[in-house]
DNA sequence: AATAGACCAAAATGGTATTCTGGTCATTTT
DNA sequence: AAAATGACCAGAATACCATTTTGGTCTATT
């Protein structure tokens, strides 16, 4: 069996279950049925192994979001569906959940760094969609990075943060209504 | 000299300099030139004293923001000026700075609670302005709480968070442009 | 009646002995 | 010869416990 692949699977399992800090290289080696030294022939250190796993997750997340697009739907509809998918992934995927938890409770620096990188990657992903919308003439030209940032932060605020200070969650209709009237409407030609 | 006032002044000084956790009741008593027991005749415990000081600060902040309004200016202009003032206060006022720092580094629960309360108060303050705009016929009817929340979170994102993941800060023009085109434009009649 | 500060239980802190962990490398296996 | 292993090590993390600090009380004093 491919040792590199075994190691990656073991690392995914361990990081997902215990987080970055509580995952030991011995642990990974044991799950992968591999000597600890072997890991170091494929990954130069724990952090590189971690990045590798996280990057794989990000690619999967973008893939899923991509596939969410509806044929023939408007830009707003697709953008909304895609971003909601990203947020759902964020709250559903074992590893992602664990990383957010670890960032909140433990403040592990490596985890903070990785979460920042992921956020940048997501915003770039959204900015790319906006640029494509502009190129296709569906959207007005605009500062796509800035709009993507504002859009993502707004979704995070409405979907995740609102319920932290309010008893009720916002309904999806409330969210689409307010964003269609504000950010999205400013984008359309 | 009014002992209650002395205690409040001493507490303001100590909380501003050392934060909540590192401020001791002995410290406050000493600064106020008062026996420790005396504090407890005016405030039932440390947390109540703290709330009292923080509440005073919030009132001052709202006051300053209020006074920032420009006669005869449009809703957007006033709203922008007021919210920027709130954010500036947040980054300028000794006690506020200390509380944000303590929340980030120490995670003192009492501080987290208080910061949440302050955020709610600010959002309510903004929602009130929106309601008044609606009543005066300057704005379309809307869910003012929701818009106030989105607006405040957007300002925080653009003014405070952007620079954490980007080298350059956003200019005030970039911020007003994007918000005028999006959230504000949806509000106007 | 108001104030003070000695006092107390509980929590926080500091110091240190012990364990754990990432990474290496000489040895073993293939 | 090339790949894999796991004993080994230095430094980091943890657990432990003695000591100090702190919020809050309560009796003595003004």
């Amino acid at each position: 069996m491919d040792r590199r692949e075994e190691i990656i699977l073991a690392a995914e399992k361990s990081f997902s279950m215990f987080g970055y800090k509580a995952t030991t290289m011995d642990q990974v080696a044991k799950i992968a049925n591999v000597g600890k030294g072997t890991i170091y022939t494929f990954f130069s250190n724990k952090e590189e192994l971690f990045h590798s796993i996280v990057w794989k997750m990000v690619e999967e997340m973008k893939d899923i979001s991509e596939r969410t697009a509806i044929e023939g739907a408007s830009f707003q509809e697709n953008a909304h569906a895609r971003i909601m998918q990203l947020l759902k992934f964020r709250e559903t995927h074992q590893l992602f959940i664990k990383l957010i938890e670890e960032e909140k409770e433990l403040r592990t620096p490596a985890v903070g760094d990785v979460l920042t990188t992921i956020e940048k990657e997501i915003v770039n992903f959204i900015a790319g969609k906006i640029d494509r919308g502009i190129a296709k003439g569906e959207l007005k030209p605009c500062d796509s990075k800035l709009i993507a940032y504002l859009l993502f932060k707004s979704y995070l605020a409405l979907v995740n943060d609102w319920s932290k200070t309010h008893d009720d969650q916002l309904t999806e209709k409330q969210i689409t209504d307010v964003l269609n009237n504000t950010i999205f409407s400013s984008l359309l030609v």
Side-chain angles (χ1 to χ4, degrees), chain A:
Chain A
M1 172 70 100
D2 182 1
R3 307 179 98 71
R4 189 189 153 88
E5 195 56 31
E6 288 294 348
I7 292 167
I8 288 178
L9 289 173
E12 279 176 348
K13 201 172 293 182
S14 186
F15 286 136
S16 298
M17 288 174 64
F18 311 113
Y20 178 75
K21 195 181 174 195
T23 287
T24 68
M25 295 302 260
D26 270 315
Q27 170 96 283
V28 173
K30 189 166 285 181
I31 297 176
N33 275 312
V34 141
K36 185 164 56 158
T38 306
I39 300 176
Y40 288 87
T41 64
F42 297 106
F43 303 93
S44 60
N45 53 43
K46 186 182 178 183
E47 207 160 332
E48 192 188 303
L49 175 60
F50 182 50
H51 284 333
S52 172
I53 301 302
V54 168
W55 190 253
K56 200 177 154 192
M57 179 189 77
V58 170
E59 289 300 316
E60 185 196 341
M61 176 172 58
K62 289 195 291 185
D63 248 40
I64 291 178
S65 173
E66 202 78 71
R67 281 203 297 279
T68 302
I70 309 133
E71 264 310 303
S74 69
F75 180 84
Q76 289 121 293
E77 285 173 322
N78 274 334
H80 175 76
R82 286 210 195 91
I83 296 174
M84 290 299 277
Q85 191 63 249
L86 292 172
L87 294 183
K88 187 176 181 178
F89 187 95
R90 210 184 115 101
E91 292 169 326
T92 301
H93 192 279
Q94 273 301 321
L95 176 56
F96 214 142
I97 292 171
K98 204 69 198 170
L99 295 184
I100 290 170
E101 182 195 316
E102 189 167 352
E103 164 67 0
K104 206 175 66 186
E105 326 268 60
L106 282 292
R107 284 276 169 68
T108 321
V111 173
D113 290 350
V114 140
L115 284 175
T116 302
T117 306
I118 295 176
E119 190 190 282
K120 278 192 198 172
E121 189 61 23
I122 292 176
V123 171
N124 275 339
F125 176 74
I126 297 173
K129 298 290 168 241
I130 294 176
D131 283 332
R132 213 169 115 273
I134 295 172
K136 287 170 64 180
E138 296 173 40
L139 303 182
K140 285 187 217 164
C142 68
D143 185 339
S144 61
K145 297 259 187 204
L146 182 54
I147 298 286
Y149 188 78
L150 181 62
L151 197 54
F152 183 61
K153 286 286 189 172
S154 296
Y155 267 100
L156 270 182
L158 298 178
V159 176
N160 289 340
D161 298 346
W162 175 274
S163 55
K164 287 180 196 159
T165 44
H166 297 76
D167 305 321
D168 51 339
Q169 264 196 303
L170 290 172
T171 65
E172 198 160 335
K173 183 173 184 331
Q174 283 180 294
I175 295 170
T176 55
D177 281 354
V178 70
L179 292 177
N180 278 341
N181 278 326
T182 55
I183 303 179
F184 283 123
S185 81
S186 81
L187 287 177
L188 301 176
V189 284

